[in-house]
Amino acid sequence: MPLVSLKNVTKIYANGVTALQSLTRDFEAGSFTVVIGPSGAGKSTLLRTINGLETPSAGEVHVDGQPVTHRDLRSIRAKIGMVFQEFNLVDRLNVMTNVLAGRLAHRHWSWSLGYLFSKSDYEMAHQALDRVGLVDKAWSRADQLSGGQRQRVGIARAICQQPRLILADEPVASLDPGSAVEVMDLLAGICREDGIAVVANLHQLDLTKRYADRVIALRAGRVIYDGKVINMDDATFKEIYESNKDTHGKRHEHTDLVLAHA
Amino acid sequence: MGSVTNTLTWYWPTRSGLPPLVPMLWLTAVVLLLAVTAPLVEIDFIHVVASLPKLGSFLSHFLVVPDWNYLPELGLRMLETIEMAVLGTAMAIVFSVPLALLAARNTSPHVVIGWLTTYVLTAIRALPELTWAVAFVAAVGLGPLAGIMALAFVTIGFMAKFFAEAIEVVDCGAVEGIRAQGAGRVQTIAFAMLPQAMPDFISALLYILDHNLRAASILGLVGAGGIGYDLVMNLRLYQYDRLMMIALAIYVVVTALDRLSTRFRHGVI
Ligand SMILES: Nc1ncnc2c1ncn2[C@@H]1O[C@H](COP(=O)(O)OP(=O)(O)OP(=O)(O)O)[C@@H](O)[C@H]1O
Ligand SMILES: [Mg+2]
């Protein structure tokens, strides 16, 4: 049984934009998938539909055999960590508390009101911080860290959750190349060593080639390529973006960068 | 057509270069309204100017030697006033946080509950502290307790409104970051919304405390405790040697609080 399965998922936003068009796709446990595609292709929407941040207009999403419905959001999200382009940490809380937030899905709200966590929660948070190399920053406020460090806190928060899947929406788009590789190495390591599946949106061809087991290319809400990254040559990659230029008449800022690589 | 004339010609930053029409109309309307309605409340500018000498002679009464024997009692009364302000504000916090969560659009359990809460808060704010103090004096008797309750009550009306506004402008990113990890409603509020709203909470709190200190110093007027009672009595008895000390004491305390809160704000935010 696949870890995530989307069946005929269509997403039409309130403003009438169709972001996903009858998309059917499975994601296996423990796999590293990179989603590429021009701006507005529906990459973020795809990720956000998997953990219920967006509700599909039609179709079904299953995670670990369980349908993603409004009622079960908490238990579904408990299995899914999410890493964001802008980190989405709580800036005014310290790093430890941000990482502990990954345990919230497993804790009753009455304890959370008093900001109480169990010893095992602290151990998990400590291990997660150790993994991303930020134990010494545990008691600093999140907004005092650099971008790269903040994203590593974001990853620690996701690890702390002990999820089956991590969704990463452009996790390196706000980072310098050095931090970007660090973050991608972490995600790849988690995937390989802990068997946690990763689905990441990326705009960089070099990173995609280096880390992805599988690449899914989206354009205008449809899958236009799905396969091993090895089978993908530069021409294919170019086509994914070029065809968009023809239909939409505009290019994403990253697209030029990607094409320059290609 | 020379550049000299160009630099001497002034324009407003609008398409036509003329002053923006709508704000100008409003401004004119307000000025006209004020000019027309001033006589209704007997604001007569000639009268105002003519009274200036009288005001001067009133102020000259304050040029007396202070009544130092009054100092210990003044100290006690001021302490009572400060306590009233602090207790009233503290009691209001307990009620304002939950009410703010009910009123704020992004945390309210239901739109209707949000509206209802907002209406109740507006109703509380509609009457000033002094009016509520009269009511509470009737209910619990003379003394600071009535004052504290009146202060707390009106403060809830303001504080919950300010807190709700602070919650509404909280950055969505942090909230989504917590929610995506599987946090429930209450957890999202505790871990994303309240911490992010904290600086605004503290700003509002300090402003309200400042306001309540001044409000507390007048509640004695209706027998609800604090320095206000002495203020009225001494004014009636023309005891300017004490009045001047009271005025000075209020000034010192309000200024001190202002300094303290500035420091505190810098420390926390
Ligand atoms: N909340 C929303 N309301 C309305 N339309 C939206 C919303 N979010 C996304 N869209 C639209 O849906 C389409 C897909 O957006 P999405 O964010 O999934 O694209 P993306 O592939 O992630 O793009 P990018 O690379 O720029 O992040 C776009 O046309 C976008 O304008
Ligand atoms: Mg996106």
Side-chain angles (χ1 to χ4, degrees):
Chain A
M1 185 183 63
L3 179 61
V4 178
S5 86
L6 293 93
K7 210 182 285 167
N8 298 321
V9 171
T10 296
K11 174 68 188 178
I12 303 170
Y13 281 109
N15 59 3
V17 173
T18 306
L20 296 176
Q21 287 192 37
S22 188
L23 194 133
T24 301
R25 207 86 349 199
D26 288 346
F27 297 86
E28 298 302 327
S31 62
F32 199 115
T33 310
V34 169
V35 182
I36 60 170
S39 179
K43 305 182 297 294
S44 299
T45 309
L46 171 62
L47 258 56
R48 295 166 61 84
T49 319
I50 294 176
N51 71 350
L53 283 176
E54 303 291 352
T55 317
S57 316
E60 282 173 31
V61 184
H62 284 76
V63 173
D64 211 11
Q66 196 183 355
V68 179
T69 57
H70 190 71
R71 231 190 56 236
D72 302 324
L73 275 187
R74 265 194 92 189
S75 63
I76 297 266
R77 285 178 184 167
K79 297 176 192 163
I80 309 175
M82 192 163 195
V83 176
F84 299 82
Q85 176 178 352
E86 297 297 337
F87 326 128
N88 291 24
L89 302 178
V90 185
D91 287 340
R92 298 183 47 79
L93 296 180
N94 62 35
V95 167
M96 178 59 93
T97 315
N98 268 287
V99 176
L100 281 168
R103 302 303 308 157
L104 286 175
H106 306 270
R107 294 289 166 260
H108 193 254
W109 62 268
S110 52
W111 294 106
S112 313
L113 263 187
Y115 284 74
L116 287 170
F117 291 93
S118 71
K119 191 151 176 270
S120 65
D121 289 337
Y122 282 95
E123 277 159 13
M124 284 181 210
H126 195 271
Q127 276 169 17
L129 278 174
D130 192 32
R131 185 108 186 230
V132 302
L134 285 175
V135 171
D136 56 324
K137 295 283 183 193
W139 305 108
S140 308
R141 240 170 72 160
D143 56 5
Q144 287 168 352
L145 304 189
S146 72
Q149 289 171 332
R150 275 193 236 191
Q151 194 57 298
R152 276 148 61 199
V153 175
I155 292 174
R157 174 167 74 179
I159 300 173
C160 191
Q161 232 184 305
Q162 305 203 319
R164 305 281 321 271
L165 167 71
I166 290 180
L167 303 171
D169 193 357
E170 302 193 29
V172 299
S174 311
L175 305 181
D176 64 277
S179 307
V181 169
E182 240 172 48
V183 161
M184 290 308 295
D185 279 341
L186 270 172
L187 288 174
I190 293 162
C191 178
R192 232 176 304 111
E193 290 152 29
D194 305 18
I196 297 173
V198 174
V199 181
N201 291 346
L202 284 181
H203 274 294
Q204 293 89 339
L205 174 60
D206 52 343
L207 293 180
T208 306
K209 279 185 165 172
R210 192 158 147 194
Y211 293 99
D213 298 328
R214 172 188 180 193
V215 177
I216 294 179
L218 289 183
R219 177 157 55 91
R222 291 178 195 281
V223 175
I224 56 168
Y225 180 90
D226 184 351
K228 285 208 161 30
V229 73
I230 313 162
N231 301 340
M232 219 177 127
D233 52 11
D234 290 355
T236 322
F237 206 85
K238 214 163 175 166
E239 200 185 292
I240 289 163
Y241 284 93
E242 293 242 306
S243 38
N244 173 68
K245 202 179 80 184
D246 295 336
T247 47
H248 284 241
K250 64 165 189 186
R251 290 165 130 199
H252 193 273
E253 45 184 303
H254 293 290
T255 312
D256 295 320
L257 194 139
V258 171
L259 290 176
H261 277 285
Chain B
M1 279 294 144
S3 58
V4 180
T5 50
N6 277 340
T7 56
L8 289 178
T9 321
W10 295 70
Y11 297 103
W12 275 270
T14 57
R15 201 184 285 268
S16 63
L18 297 173
L21 186 64
V22 176
M24 277 302 154
L25 285 179
W26 275 111
L27 192 64
T28 318
V30 170
V31 170
L32 278 178
L33 196 71
L34 285 179
V36 171
T37 53
L40 287 181
V41 286
E42 296 178 347
I43 294 179
D44 177 348
F45 291 103
I46 296 166
H47 182 74
V48 169
V49 174
S51 319
L52 279 180
K54 267 199 248 170
L55 189 66
S57 75
F58 173 74
L59 288 179
S60 72
H61 288 305
F62 285 91
L63 297 173
V64 288
V65 181
D67 174 10
W68 296 115
N69 293 330
Y70 175 60
L71 200 59
E73 202 193 323
L74 174 68
L76 273 179
R77 285 292 184 185
M78 280 313 292
L79 211 61
E80 184 180 283
T81 313
I82 296 171
E83 266 182 48
M84 282 167 61
V86 172
L87 279 178
T89 311
M91 277 169 64
I93 297 175
V94 179
F95 295 94
S96 296
V97 174
L99 282 171
L101 290 171
L102 289 182
R105 253 176 286 123
N106 48 349
T107 51
S108 185
H110 195 273
V111 238
V112 176
I113 297 177
W115 284 341
L116 281 178
T117 317
T118 313
Y119 283 134
V120 170
L121 294 178
T122 314
I124 293 176
R125 287 199 304 273
L127 296 177
E129 289 89 353
L130 214 55
T131 332
W132 290 113
V134 174
F136 280 110
V137 164
V140 301
L142 289 170
L145 182 63
I148 292 170
M149 290 176 78
L151 278 178
F153 197 62
V154 178
T155 302
I156 289 170
F158 281 97
M159 199 184 265
K161 177 188 153 81
F162 286 148
F163 281 8
E165 279 167 4
I167 292 168
E168 280 175 0
V169 298
V170 157
D171 160 46
C172 310
V175 174
E176 191 162 85
I178 292 291
R179 197 178 281 150
Q181 316 298 319
R185 210 187 173 85
V186 174
Q187 291 175 328
T188 309
I189 289 172
F191 277 80
M193 291 181 164
L194 294 186
Q196 296 294 92
M198 198 51 77
D200 287 354
F201 275 18
I202 288 169
S203 290
L205 183 67
L206 293 176
Y207 169 78
I208 287 174
L209 191 61
D210 180 281
H211 172 90
N212 280 355
L213 194 63
R214 282 174 284 126
S217 64
I218 203 73
L219 289 183
L221 210 68
V222 294
I227 192 74
Y229 180 74
D230 291 35
L231 192 68
V232 196
M233 287 320 285
N234 289 314
L235 200 58
R236 294 232 173 95
L237 301 171
Y238 303 108
Q239 288 208 299
Y240 293 103
D241 49 352
R242 290 184 171 193
L243 271 176
M244 134 202 202
M245 288 171 76
I246 295 172
L248 211 64
I250 295 175
Y251 169 77
V252 167
V253 170
V254 169
T255 314
L257 177 74
D258 192 51
R259 290 279 157 79
L260 271 178
S261 69
T262 310
R263 280 227 176 145
F264 182 69
R265 198 197 308 262
H266 283 301
V268 174
I269 296 165

